[in-house]
Amino acid sequence: MGDHLPEDRSTGTSYRNGAGTTSLVAGIIAALASLVPFIGGAITIAAAVVALASGWVGLKRVDQSEASNHREAVIGIGLGLAALFVAFLVFAATNSA
């Protein structure tokens, strides 16, 4: 988003922001898919798991000063959790006796 740090020109290394960005994108996909009844459930669960796992990796990289996109990783994790919650509610509502 707007919190990317510039490349470190002295060592020639750049930040490894891929995991945090993947978390954000997967979280958005999971959140949107959770709103689609029936077929969206499988997509939601898969994308939410990707969002949670890559968000966790992204946060570890931020803690180790290897990445600079803390906000993207946290938002991706939040969207993934919210999508799983919505998928659970939809499942519970459609499968109640």
Side-chain angles (χ1 to χ4, degrees), residues 5-95:
L5 298 177
E7 181 176 311
D8 184 5
R9 304 249 184 237
S10 63
T11 61
T13 60
S14 61
Y15 288 102
R16 299 172 59 196
N17 290 328
T21 303
T22 300
S23 176
L24 179 63
V25 171
I28 291 170
I29 291 169
L32 292 175
S34 71
L35 302 175
V36 178
F38 306 111
I39 192 76
I43 296 169
T44 298
I45 292 170
V49 169
V50 170
L52 294 173
S54 60
W56 180 72
V57 170
L59 288 178
K60 288 290 188 185
R61 287 183 181 171
V62 169
D63 287 343
Q64 297 169 352
S65 299
E66 295 177 4
S68 63
N69 58 348
H70 178 267
R71 184 179 303 150
E72 289 181 12
V74 170
I75 292 172
I77 290 170
L79 287 172
L81 287 172
L84 283 176
F85 181 70
V86 170
F88 170 75
L89 289 178
V90 168
F91 178 79
T94 58
N95 292 322

